[in-house]
Amino acid sequence: MGETSVTFGARPFTDACGCGLLRIYLCSGVGFPECCIPPGHHSCGHMGRLNWSASCYYFREPNAHKRFMEKLDARIRNHDREIEKMCNFHHQGFVDAITELLKVRADAEKLMGFTLFDLPLCKVTAQTEEVIRCRIQQRNMATTVEKLQLCIPGEMTWLYYSALKTMEQLENIYIPRVSQYRFCQIMAETLPKLREEIKEISMSDLKDFLESIRKHSDKIGETAMRQVPNTPPSQRPERRGSIIKKCSCNLVGFLFKVLTAQDLVDFSPVYRCLHIYTVLGDRETFENYYRKQRKKQARLVLQPQSNMHETVEGYRKYFNQIVGFFVVEDHILHATQGLVTRAFTDELWNMALSKIIAVLRTHSSYCNDPDLVLELKNLIVIFADTLQGYGFPVNRLFDLLFEVRDQYNETLLKKWALVFRDIFEQDNYSPIPVENEEEYKAVVSRFPFHDAEIEKQQFPKKLPMSQSVPQIYSQVKEFIYASLKFSESLHRSSTEIDDMLRKSTNLLLTRTLSSCLQNLIKKPHIGLTELVQIIINTTHLEHACKYLEDFITNITNVSPETVHTTRLYGLSTFKDARHAAEGEIYTKLNQKIDEFIQLADYEWGMAESDGRASGYLMDLINFLRSTFQVFTHLPGKVAQTACMSSCKHLATSLMQMLLDTELKQISMGAIQQFNLDVMQCELFASSEPVPGFQGDTLQLAFIDLRQLLDLFMVWDWSTYLADYGQPTSKYLRVNPSTALALLEKMKDTSKKNNIFSQFRKNDRDKQKLIETVVKQLRSLVNGMSQHS
């Protein structure tokens, strides 16, 4: 049996709510077992009070239609009863509504009559259309105002640029279309003010950005400089722009946050302000303002603190600020189109470079700590390498490093001057004793000492130099290491570094060590024994200079045969010190001799001598003997010179004693006693206290005294006067003035107790001879003065 469908048409129902304004239709579809009609919508505001449903069935047997109709009628009756109940419930409201409607109908009829008969229909229609048009305009205006709210400057500064574009479209496209309306004119007048507000707010953001950059430029620079030490100079790539990247911001202004070296700064205020001023056609004003402000900030950044030289942190903060400033400018240069130019950044950098160099020259000169100067050098190298990586020329900074290197060397020299002084003060100036092989190796490991004779000796033994020699040698090497630290990272060749090391070492030897040695030699507590040891020490240090040269060659890997290799001047330093020590030995020996001479107590009027040499002179000779025994370790010429100098000084002192103007009288007995003392001096000279003298060379130091005393002892005036002036004269070394001065001291001036009284008694002719000799001597003296 085929399927059959029944479709019910629309069936009208009376208003169930009693308002009389609504008809509800029940519609049924096909193919649904049962469906419910949605609630009806009443213009009176009632909703959902009726719930009608219709059912459709598929009829598969002949009586199905009849049964369906019966069920439908039953359902209709049920619904009718419900409607009747509902109408009874709302009957009074229904009646009231009908009454109101009747009143409205009467008023409507009056209005209709008035409209139809008092006003032209076309006029009503025109007003209606005008109202409709006004409603549409109001709706459009509301929409426009809503959209314009997005263009008004507020906290959402990222909409500035979009707002300007929107205003431009309004001004150029949309407003002209409706320009006849007054609100459009008002809007057109408001747009320039909005633009100025946007400019002001974006400029405020830029000022906040500039202030934040000024405060945090040291953090930016610190991050940039921190990347440099970890990369070898030859492997440092161009890092321009890699340090600066967008980080974070708020909607009002710039919010600085240090993240990493790759994520530091938010430049959106700059970009935004640049774009806004560009759109508004005022880019030049913005560029001039930005450059002017950055120049002011550059001057502030370049101004150092007054105590910057006291700590390395002061220098580090100074460099960080400068690097941060120029890293920002480099990023602006490459991230914007002409906000700053290469000429502008070059101008800033040249100005900054001159200021930096002047500041570093001044502050580094205040520093006396070599460690601080070394840290300053390292900072300058990192500073230069960082900025060089951003394309800034830094050759002048490396030239400045050579000046700083000189300052560093000066601080090193001052430091090592104290080191050398302490070593010399603690030295005992005695040969180094070594008890066993271990001690011997410990010494030679610090100082290159080689002596075959000493190596053959059995332990214990002594090394010729004192303990200061290996200490000085070790400290010179330490100085070379310290000097090398400054030469590192200067991008210089090995040859240049080798040359710098040698020059600085020469300064250490020729200035610092030489000065310390000279001062040491002049110290009052340094005696003859110490001076002798100093001479020995300087000799060994002089021989060790070649090992210092080899040491420098090894650490710089430069061949000693390289052209222009600077030689160490230590040879001259130690020679000069040795000569000064030798001269001081001669001086101290003479001083010691003078001390003994002052002890002399001659009885110048004695009748005859004691028959033995004076005690003071014997003590003096014993002192000289023991002293010259110490000189055995000195070079032969030094000992010989010291011995000769001592003998000459002794002879001169004795001669001056005889010719002293305060000595008025002298007896022949005193002459005889004096002669015994001179004989002891001659015996000392002939005993070869220092080996190496040929013949009677040392005795010749006393030849003047010997001939003078022989002349008076023998009383051989006739021979002296007869042979005077002859090269073969027996008394060739006796000067007439000397003989006259001594002879006058022997004249009878008091007429009593005079050595010539016996002559007058015994032989008056001899007294006349003395007078004659005196006259002749005076004649010789006068002749000499006339010839001179």
Side-chain angles (χ1 to χ4, degrees), residues 629-664:
Q629 288 179 356
V630 178
F631 285 10
T632 54
H633 297 292
L634 287 175
K637 186 178 293 186
V638 176
Q640 293 171 10
T641 303
C643 187
M644 176 60 74
S645 173
S646 299
C647 290
K648 286 184 177 181
H649 185 74
L650 176 57
T652 302
S653 299
L654 291 173
M655 180 69 77
Q656 290 176 350
M657 190 185 301
L658 284 176
L659 302 178
D660 187 4
T661 55
E662 294 183 0
L663 179 60
K664 302 300 183 181

Side-chain angles (χ1 to χ4, degrees), residues 142-161:
T143 304
T144 303
V145 171
E146 180 182 354
K147 298 301 180 183
L148 286 177
Q149 292 296 328
L150 300 177
C151 305
I152 298 176
E155 292 184 351
M156 301 181 64
T157 56
W158 59 274
L159 291 175
Y160 292 163
Y161 185 67

Side-chain angles (χ1 to χ4, degrees), residues 109-370:
E109 290 175 351
K110 291 180 181 180
L111 179 61
M112 180 64 72
F114 176 77
T115 303
L116 293 175
F117 297 103
D118 294 345
L119 290 176
L121 182 60
C122 60
K123 188 175 182 180
V124 173
T125 303
Q127 290 180 350
T128 302
E129 292 177 352
E130 182 66 24
V131 171
I132 293 172
R133 186 165 55 251
C134 288
R135 292 290 179 88
I136 294 174
Q137 289 179 352
Q138 288 178 351
R139 184 183 62 189
N140 292 341
M141 289 175 63
T143 304
T144 303
V145 171
E146 180 182 354
K147 298 301 180 183
L148 286 177
Q149 292 296 328
L150 300 177
C151 305
I152 298 176
E155 292 184 351
M156 301 181 64
T157 56
W158 59 274
L159 291 175
Y160 292 163
Y161 185 67
S162 176
L164 291 173
K165 285 296 185 181
T166 303
M167 285 189 286
E168 183 180 2
Q169 291 176 355
L170 287 172
E171 194 171 40
N172 297 330
I173 300 175
Y174 299 109
I175 291 180
R177 296 179 182 178
V178 289
S179 59
Q180 69 273 21
Y181 298 105
R182 186 171 179 272
F183 82 90
C184 293
Q185 297 176 359
I186 297 174
M187 183 181 296
E189 294 174 357
T190 305
L191 291 179
K193 296 180 180 179
L194 292 177
R195 289 192 178 97
E196 289 301 320
E197 290 181 10
I198 291 176
K199 286 176 62 175
E200 291 176 1
I201 295 177
S202 64
M203 181 58 72
S204 176
D205 290 347
L206 177 69
K207 291 179 180 178
D208 293 340
F209 167 81
L210 293 175
E211 180 64 20
S212 297
I213 285 294
R214 187 187 68 81
K215 291 181 179 179
H216 299 92
S217 59
D218 58 333
K219 297 296 183 182
I220 302 170
E222 179 183 0
T223 305
M225 291 180 66
R226 192 183 297 125
Q227 293 184 351
V228 174
N230 298 327
T231 308
S234 60
Q235 300 178 11
R236 291 172 190 163
E238 293 290 332
R239 296 178 305 279
R240 184 181 293 114
S242 65
I243 298 298
I244 302 300
K245 200 175 180 181
K246 188 175 184 179
C247 87
S248 63
C249 65
N250 58 19
L251 298 178
V252 177
F254 168 77
L255 175 62
F256 183 87
K257 184 178 181 182
V258 176
L259 298 177
T260 67
Q262 303 297 323
D263 197 1
L264 290 179
V265 178
D266 172 27
F267 284 93
S268 60
V270 181
Y271 304 147
R272 187 162 51 244
C273 201
L274 175 62
H275 290 162
I276 289 171
Y277 273 77
T278 301
V279 170
L280 297 177
D282 204 9
R283 179 186 176 109
E284 184 177 356
T285 299
F286 173 71
E287 290 178 354
N288 292 335
Y289 175 81
Y290 178 85
R291 296 178 187 181
K292 182 179 179 181
Q293 294 301 315
R294 289 300 278 168
K295 280 186 177 180
K296 289 182 179 179
Q297 289 187 348
R299 293 187 180 94
L300 292 175
V301 165
L302 294 170
Q303 189 65 32
Q305 295 182 350
S306 59
N307 61 342
M308 184 179 72
H309 61 277
E310 295 178 358
T311 62
V312 69
E313 291 304 320
Y315 287 109
R316 180 175 288 111
K317 184 175 182 180
Y318 181 68
F319 287 134
N320 286 343
Q321 289 178 344
I322 297 173
V323 169
F325 178 90
F326 283 100
V327 165
V328 170
E329 285 308 292
D330 181 79
H331 181 82
I332 293 294
L333 173 66
H334 292 88
T336 61
Q337 298 296 326
L339 176 56
V340 296
T341 62
R342 173 57 68 184
F344 174 74
T345 56
D346 288 345
E347 178 187 356
L348 280 180
W349 173 243
N350 289 331
M351 180 269 292
L353 196 56
S354 299
K355 178 66 175 179
I356 292 167
I357 291 174
V359 167
L360 293 179
R361 280 176 177 163
T362 301
H363 283 265
S364 64
S365 64
Y366 298 148
C367 184
N368 295 320
D369 183 4

Side-chain angles (χ1 to χ4, degrees), residues 61-119:
E61 52 186 63
N63 295 327
H65 181 267
K66 182 179 179 180
R67 288 195 301 272
F68 174 75
M69 292 303 295
E70 290 175 354
K71 289 184 178 290
L72 181 59
D73 289 337
R75 189 173 185 85
I76 290 172
R77 286 193 297 271
N78 291 333
H79 282 293
D80 286 340
R81 284 194 296 271
E82 291 177 3
I83 292 171
E84 184 178 357
K85 290 179 181 180
M86 187 174 293
C87 289
N88 291 332
F89 179 78
H90 293 285
H91 175 72
Q92 186 60 42
F94 176 74
V95 173
D96 293 340
I98 293 298
T99 304
E100 292 295 330
L101 282 174
L102 292 174
K103 292 180 181 179
V104 172
R105 183 173 63 180
D107 292 338
E109 290 175 351
K110 291 180 181 180
L111 179 61
M112 180 64 72
F114 176 77
T115 303
L116 293 175
F117 297 103
D118 294 345
L119 290 176

Side-chain angles (χ1 to χ4, degrees), residues 617-634:
L617 187 69
M618 297 306 298
D619 292 340
L620 171 58
I621 291 175
N622 291 332
F623 164 76
L624 292 176
R625 288 186 186 279
S626 61
T627 300
F628 291 141
Q629 288 179 356
V630 178
F631 285 10
T632 54
H633 297 292
L634 287 175

Side-chain angles (χ1 to χ4, degrees), residues 659-697:
L659 302 178
D660 187 4
T661 55
E662 294 183 0
L663 179 60
K664 302 300 183 181
Q665 293 182 352
I666 185 171
S667 65
M668 182 59 70
I671 294 291
Q672 293 172 351
Q673 181 63 43
F674 203 82
N675 181 61
L676 291 176
D677 293 344
V678 173
M679 289 176 61
Q680 289 298 323
C681 293
E682 291 173 327
L683 289 173
F684 168 75
S686 62
S687 66
E688 197 175 14
V690 173
F693 287 106
Q694 297 180 353
D696 55 354
T697 303

Side-chain angles (χ1 to χ4, degrees), residues 420 423-424 431-432 434 437-451 454-455 462-478 509 513 533-549 551 570-571 574 578:
F420 291 152
I423 291 175
F424 289 141
I432 300 176
V434 287
E437 184 70 22
E438 183 178 353
E439 293 183 4
Y440 178 80
K441 290 181 178 180
V443 174
V444 297
S445 65
R446 293 184 296 149
F447 180 76
F449 174 76
H450 305 285
D451 189 305
I454 295 179
E455 290 177 357
K462 292 184 179 181
L463 304 183
M465 64 278 188
S466 66
Q467 62 184 4
S468 64
V469 172
Q471 294 175 350
I472 292 293
Y473 183 81
S474 298
Q475 285 301 320
V476 172
K477 292 172 66 175
E478 289 298 322
L509 297 177
L513 182 55
Q533 189 62 58
I534 290 173
I535 292 176
I536 296 172
N537 291 349
T538 53
T539 302
H540 287 281
L541 287 172
E542 180 182 340
H543 293 160
C545 281
K546 64 178 182 178
Y547 296 100
L548 289 175
E549 290 191 345
F551 174 74
L571 298 177
F574 298 121
R578 189 160 54 251

